[in-house]
Every structure is written in structure tokens, then in C-alpha cells.
């Protein structure tokens, strides 16, 4: 049993590293799309739509059932809303502060999860972990220090910090809600599907959806969907489980 638990822990860490690494590549594919003049709503619509189609293919290939119990629909919808909020806040913050600063601030979310799980759920946490939290916060503060446009910088930092809250809440909700009962592939598919619906409605009510004419744009959309969305969320859920 000890060996089995150790192997599970190692696999969990591996999945978590894959999730973080792939999620951290979002600026690599998002910023070129923003440079093409596409608005955030359009980028997110295409990103989530393509990701949902990829997951649908994965579900068919692995012969997973698309059935989702009615009592779980609202829970999954809330998870999707948190994940979607993280995505749109990240893109919005890129317009005000450097993507490296945004990404570094966003990656405070494991610290937020650790603190919440320790204080609210009584998860055992060592003094070393709290020291790591303190050092990480200090590191982000030093990274953000410098001469910046005060108004834009403050707004960008606030948007990035909001991604920490949303993503941490998403992770904790997966662990502590009924979503833990759902198969990993099925949960990932519906989180992305509901996210697609949310972004299409949001885009239609605001800026509308723009067409992408450049092949490079579609390449970035596909990579954003495959690597930063499907791979990232799938490995995150597997790591949590």
C-alpha cells in the first residue's frame, strides 16, 4: 500500500508539473493573436471551441459516455465559470502589464490553495510550506517592482491577482465538490463545453466574433486549445485526483 501511494504521489506531481508548464505557455500563443488585432472575446471563443472539439474526439476514441447526471450539471457549470473567468482575466491583464509579470503573479494560485486547504479544511501544512509561501510572495513583489505606468500597472496586477482567486477556487471546488465523482475526461469535456457557450454568449452581447484570416492565427488558436487548454486542464484534474 505504501509503494502504491508513493507511486500515486509521484504521478500526481508529474501531472501537476505538466499542467503548470502547459498553462504557462498561454502568452506564447495569445499575445500574437492580440497583435493581429483580435479581441479577447474572439480569441477565447475559438480557443474553447477548438478545445471542446478536441476533447469530443478524445471521448469518442476512448469510448467514454457523454452522459452527465442532472444533479451534477450546476456544479460543473460553476466550475466552468471559474475556469472561464481565469482565462478572460489573464488576457485582460496582458494589455496592462508584461506577460511575464502576469504569469508569475498567476502562479501564486498553488499558495492560495495551500492556505485555504490548511485554514478552512484543516489540511496538514508544515512550517516549510508557509516559508515557501512567504518567499514566493516576496519574489513576486520584487519582480513587480520598478518604474511602471501606475494606473495601468495597478489594474493589470489586480486582474492577475483575480486569476489567482478564480483558479484556486476552481481547483478547490474540484476537490471538494461532487465533481470529484466525474470521470476526468468527461469533466474536462463539459468544463470546456460550458466555457465555449459562456464565451460565445459574452462575445455576441459585446464585441461580436471576428474572423481569423491568417494561417498563423489558426496555428496559434489550435496550439492554445490543444496545449494550454486541453492538456493543461486534463492533467490538472488528474493531478488533483
Amino acid at each position: 500500500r505504501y509503494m502504491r501511494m508513493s507511486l500515486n504521489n509521484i504521478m500526481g506531481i508529474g501531472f501537476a508539473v505538466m499542467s503548470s508548464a502547459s498553462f504557462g505557455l498561454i502568452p506564447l500563443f495569445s499575445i500574437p493573436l492580440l497583435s493581429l488585432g483580435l479581441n479577447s472575446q474572439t480569441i477565447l471563443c475559438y480557443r474553447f471551441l477548438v478545445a471542446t472539439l478536441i476533447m469530443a474526439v478524445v471521448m469518442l476514441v476512448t469510448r467514454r459516455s457523454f452522459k452527465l447526471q442532472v444533479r451534477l450539471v450546476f456544479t460543473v457549470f460553476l466550475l466552468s465559470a471559474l475556469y472561464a473567468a481565469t482565462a478572460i482575466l489573464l488576457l485582460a491583464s496582458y494589455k496592462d502589464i508584461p506577460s511575464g509579470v502576469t504569469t508569475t503573479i498567476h502562479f501564486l494560485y498553488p499558495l492560495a490553495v495551500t492556505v485555504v486547504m490548511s485554514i478552512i479544511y484543516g489540511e496538514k501544512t508544515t512550517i516549510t510550506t508557509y516559508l515557501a509561501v512567504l518567499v514566493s510572495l516576496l519574489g513576486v513583489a520584487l519582480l513587480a517592482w520598478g518604474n511602471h505606468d501606475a494606473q495601468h500597472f495597478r489594474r493589470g496586477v489586480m486582474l492577475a491577482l483575480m486569476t489567482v482567486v478564480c483558479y484556486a477556487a476552481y481547483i478547490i471546488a474540484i476537490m471538494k465538490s461532487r465533481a470529484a465523482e466525474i470521470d476526468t475526461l468527461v469533466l474536462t469535456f463539459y468544463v470546456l463545453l460550458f466555457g465555449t457557450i459562456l464565451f460565445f454568449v459574452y462575445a455576441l452581447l459585446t464585441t461580436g466574433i471576428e474572423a481569423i484570416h491568417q494561417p498563423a492565427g489558426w496555428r496559434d488558436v489550435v496550439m492554445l486549445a490543444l496545449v494550454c487548454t486541453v492538456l493543461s486542464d486534463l492533467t490538472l484534474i488528474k493531478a488533483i485526483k
Side-chain angles (χ1 to χ4, degrees), residues 107-116 129 132-134 136-137:
F107 273 91
L108 290 175
Y109 74 81
L111 311 184
V113 172
T114 299
V115 171
V116 171
T129 302
V133 170
L134 181 62
S136 298
L137 290 172

Side-chain angles (χ1 to χ4, degrees), residues 79-155:
L79 286 173
S80 183
L82 288 170
Y83 191 76
T86 303
I88 197 165
L89 289 167
L90 267 179
L91 275 187
S93 67
Y94 293 155
K95 299 176 182 178
D96 292 316
I97 57 177
S99 60
V101 176
T102 296
T103 305
T104 304
I105 293 173
H106 171 73
F107 273 91
L108 290 175
Y109 74 81
L111 311 184
V113 172
T114 299
V115 171
V116 171
M117 294 301 294
S118 174
I119 295 175
I120 297 180
Y121 294 100
E123 190 174 87
K124 292 183 179 179
T125 306
T126 65
I127 187 65
T128 305
T129 302
Y130 282 115
L131 285 173
V133 170
L134 181 62
V135 171
S136 298
L137 290 172
L138 179 61
V140 170
L142 291 172
L143 178 69
W145 196 274
N147 296 320
H148 305 282
D149 182 315
Q151 180 180 355
H152 287 283
F153 189 74
R154 282 197 299 268
R155 182 173 61 191

Side-chain angles (χ1 to χ4, degrees), residues 11 24 27 37 43 65 77 96 103 110 119 124 128 140 172-173 179 189 196-197 234-235:
M11 290 178 63
I43 294 171
S65 170
F77 180 81
D96 292 316
T103 305
I119 295 175
K124 292 183 179 179
T128 305
V140 170
I172 294 168
F189 171 76
T196 301
I197 295 170
L234 190 59
T235 50

Side-chain angles (χ1 to χ4, degrees), residues 9 20 34 36 45 52 56 62 65 83 96 121 132 164 175 177 180 212 219 230:
N9 288 340
S20 296
L34 290 170
L36 291 176
C45 281
T52 301
T62 57
S65 170
Y83 191 76
D96 292 316
Y121 294 100
V164 176
M175 288 190 287
S177 72
I212 301 177
R219 178 202 61 200
V230 172

Side-chain angles (χ1 to χ4, degrees), residues 109-227:
Y109 74 81
L111 311 184
V113 172
T114 299
V115 171
V116 171
M117 294 301 294
S118 174
I119 295 175
I120 297 180
Y121 294 100
E123 190 174 87
K124 292 183 179 179
T125 306
T126 65
I127 187 65
T128 305
T129 302
Y130 282 115
L131 285 173
V133 170
L134 181 62
V135 171
S136 298
L137 290 172
L138 179 61
V140 170
L142 291 172
L143 178 69
W145 196 274
N147 296 320
H148 305 282
D149 182 315
Q151 180 180 355
H152 287 283
F153 189 74
R154 282 197 299 268
R155 182 173 61 191
V157 168
M158 286 304 300
L159 290 170
L161 288 172
M162 288 170 67
T163 72
V164 176
V165 175
C166 292
Y167 207 55
Y170 174 68
I171 292 172
I172 294 168
I174 291 175
M175 288 190 287
K176 296 300 180 180
S177 72
R178 292 177 175 176
E181 306 171 14
I182 308 173
D183 177 83
T184 301
L185 293 181
V186 176
L187 179 57
T188 303
F189 171 76
Y190 279 105
V191 165
L192 297 177
L193 176 62
F194 290 152
T196 301
I197 295 170
L198 286 171
F199 282 125
F200 266 86
V201 171
Y202 178 52
L204 291 174
L205 292 176
T206 54
T207 60
I209 302 171
E210 301 173 291
I212 301 177
H213 302 288
Q214 300 88 341
W218 280 110
R219 178 202 61 200
D220 289 332
V221 165
V222 171
M223 293 302 292
L224 193 58
L226 178 61
V227 177

